[in-house]
Amino acid sequence: MAGSLAENQIGNKGAKALARSLLVNRSLITLDLRSNSIGPPGAKALADALKINRTLTSLSLQSNVIKDDGVMCVAEALVSNQTISMLQLQKNLIGLIGAQQMADALKQNRSLKALMFSSNTIGDRGAIALAEALKVNQILENLDLQSNSISDMGVTVLMRALCSNQTLSSLNLRENSISPEGAQALTQALCRNNTLKHLDLTANLLHDRGAQAIAVAVGENHSLTHLHLQWNFIQAGAARALGQALQLNRTLTTLDLQENAIGDEGASSVAGALKVNTTLIALYLQVASIGSQGAQALGEALTVNRTLEILDLRGNDVGAAGAKALANALKLNSSLRRLNLQENSLGMDGAIFVASALSENHGLHHINLQGNPIGESAARMISEAIKTNAPTCTVEI
């Protein structure tokens, strides 16, 4: 049984009442207490209940104010509790002391598989404490450290731990301060680790040099399936390195490069990889300074690629020539399911090219042409044509 009391302002008093119920409850499995103004006293009461309760497997205390004192109590409970597998502590004003207490608990706990710790302030020293726990803990699979003021020092120690840890499969480090130096440590770990599948480095400070280092790991790693590098000041040089790595990689299914200025040259490099890569399913290139030249290269790649299902080119500068190349590819490609050309420069001609191609494509499920200078009457005409030629395809125009 699942229970949600999210956003109810139950406060410490309500948390204490719930804790008393958890002492005797034998059916509740999931409890969501997000955004309830629960502080350290409420967290302590819930933690005391967790020492006795043996049915709850998932607890969310996200967006409360339990702080270090509260998480200290929760961590103490985790030492004896062996049923909680998911714990969400995002946005709780947790600092170094709380991170250290949680790390100590992870060295002994044998049930927790997912720890959501994002949007706190654990810093490098907190990350180092958790890294030491990862060397011992062989249960945790998902660790979320988004937005925690972690820099190269913290990530370097985390990566050393990954070299020996064999269970962590998802690591979220987005919105921290990882630079090219930290990327070197990431690369070394990814070349040795064979369990991590999801890595999110969104909104760090990698730049081309850091992303080029990551590309080396992509070429050698045999486990990573999802890599998020958006908002990292990446340009064509790193895109070229990633393209070369994708020609060697046989596991990556999702690559996100949105909000990076890779341009036509970078898009062409990635497109070249698509001609030989047989695993990539989703490619996100939104707002990446790509014009018709890059779209033409991608279109050419799609004529031979048989695995890509999602291509997102929203917010670029793809014109009619690029749309025509993509349209020609759609006539031959049978794998693509979703194509986003929203907010480009297709014009009426470009939109007509794409719409007419759908009569020969029976695989596309969704296409977005919104935000292009098409005109109302042309939009209606194109919409009707798509409904006639591809009735199973959802169109946003």
Side-chain angles (χ1 to χ4, degrees):
M1 185 174 74
S4 177
L5 290 171
E7 301 177 1
N8 270 292
Q9 297 299 311
I10 67 171
N12 290 321
K13 185 176 180 180
K16 290 177 180 179
L18 278 170
R20 288 193 292 271
S21 298
L22 286 176
L23 292 173
V24 296
N25 185 279
R26 294 295 180 269
S27 60
L28 194 67
I29 296 173
T30 300
L31 181 58
D32 187 349
L33 297 176
R34 282 177 295 120
S35 304
N36 267 299
S37 301
I38 298 171
K44 182 181 186 305
L46 290 165
D48 288 341
L50 289 180
K51 295 176 182 177
I52 297 172
N53 181 283
R54 290 295 179 267
T55 56
L56 200 67
T57 61
S58 178
L59 174 62
S60 176
L61 289 170
Q62 178 181 348
S63 301
N64 283 286
V65 284
I66 71 170
K67 303 181 180 178
D68 285 345
D69 288 344
V71 81
M72 200 178 305
C73 297
V74 174
E76 182 183 329
L78 286 179
V79 173
S80 57
N81 181 290
Q82 299 299 325
T83 56
I84 289 285
S85 60
M86 161 75 85
L87 181 59
Q88 299 185 49
L89 297 174
Q90 308 98 307
K91 298 182 180 179
N92 262 293
L93 304 178
I94 299 168
L96 170 61
I97 294 173
Q100 290 172 330
Q101 294 294 321
M102 184 57 65
D104 289 342
L106 287 175
K107 292 176 183 178
Q108 302 176 66
N109 179 273
R110 292 295 177 267
S111 65
L112 195 66
K113 293 186 176 182
L115 175 60
M116 307 292 108
F117 226 61
S118 66
S119 299
N120 287 297
T121 56
I122 70 169
D124 284 330
R125 292 171 64 193
I128 290 170
L130 291 170
E132 292 302 314
L134 288 179
K135 293 178 182 178
V136 178
N137 182 290
Q138 296 297 322
I139 302 295
L140 197 68
E141 298 175 359
N142 186 347
L143 179 58
D144 183 353
L145 296 177
Q146 174 181 343
S147 190
N148 258 294
S149 303
I150 299 170
S151 69
D152 293 335
M153 180 173 71
V155 83
T156 297
V157 181
L158 277 169
M159 290 308 103
R160 287 181 193 146
L162 272 190
C163 289
S164 58
N165 181 282
Q166 296 299 312
T167 56
L168 200 69
S169 62
S170 179
L171 178 60
N172 184 355
L173 290 170
R174 65 188 292 156
E175 296 171 19
N176 282 290
S177 301
I178 304 168
S179 78
E181 285 66 34
Q184 295 292 338
L186 280 159
T187 298
Q188 293 172 14
L190 290 175
C191 288
R192 295 177 61 182
N193 179 281
N194 58 12
T195 56
L196 197 68
K197 296 182 183 299
H198 296 249
L199 178 59
D200 194 338
L201 296 172
T202 298
N204 276 281
L205 305 168
L206 297 182
H207 294 270
D208 255 23
R209 188 158 62 91
Q212 285 170 339
I214 298 295
V216 172
V218 170
E220 297 186 22
N221 180 276
H222 301 294
S223 63
L224 207 61
T225 60
H226 293 69
L227 178 59
H228 297 269
L229 296 173
Q230 58 265 46
W231 285 104
N232 262 294
F233 310 99
I234 296 170
Q235 297 182 351
R240 184 165 53 251
L242 285 165
Q244 292 168 351
L246 286 175
Q247 296 185 38
L248 302 172
N249 183 280
R250 293 293 179 267
T251 57
L252 202 67
T253 61
T254 298
L255 177 61
D256 195 334
L257 291 172
Q258 64 177 294
E259 301 285 354
N260 286 296
I262 68 170
D264 286 335
E265 183 184 347
S268 297
S269 297
V270 175
L274 290 179
K275 293 179 180 180
V276 296
N277 180 280
T278 58
T279 57
L280 202 65
I281 293 173
L283 178 59
Y284 297 95
L285 297 173
Q286 304 101 303
V287 197
S289 303
I290 298 169
S292 287
Q293 183 182 341
Q296 287 171 329
L298 288 165
E300 182 182 337
L302 287 177
T303 61
V304 295
N305 180 279
R306 294 292 179 267
T307 56
L308 196 70
E309 296 180 8
I310 300 172
L311 178 58
D312 197 330
L313 291 169
R314 176 183 58 82
N316 285 290
D317 192 29
V318 178
K324 185 177 182 179
L326 290 168
N328 289 335
L330 290 177
K331 295 175 183 179
L332 299 172
N333 180 280
S334 59
S335 65
L336 204 64
R337 299 291 178 263
R338 299 180 67 89
L339 176 61
N340 190 352
L341 291 170
Q342 182 180 359
E343 297 169 9
N344 276 278
S345 304
L346 303 187
M348 184 175 69
D349 288 345
I352 290 173
F353 286 140
V354 174
S356 62
L358 294 184
S359 62
E360 300 179 47
N361 180 295
H362 303 291
L364 207 62
H365 294 166
H366 185 276
I367 185 166
N368 192 333
L369 300 175
Q370 290 180 325
N372 284 281
I374 296 171
E376 187 175 341
S377 60
R380 282 198 301 268
M381 179 185 70
I382 292 165
S383 183
E384 289 302 319
I386 292 175
K387 287 178 183 177
T388 302
N389 294 332
T392 61
C393 182
T394 300
V395 183
E396 295 183 63
I397 195 168

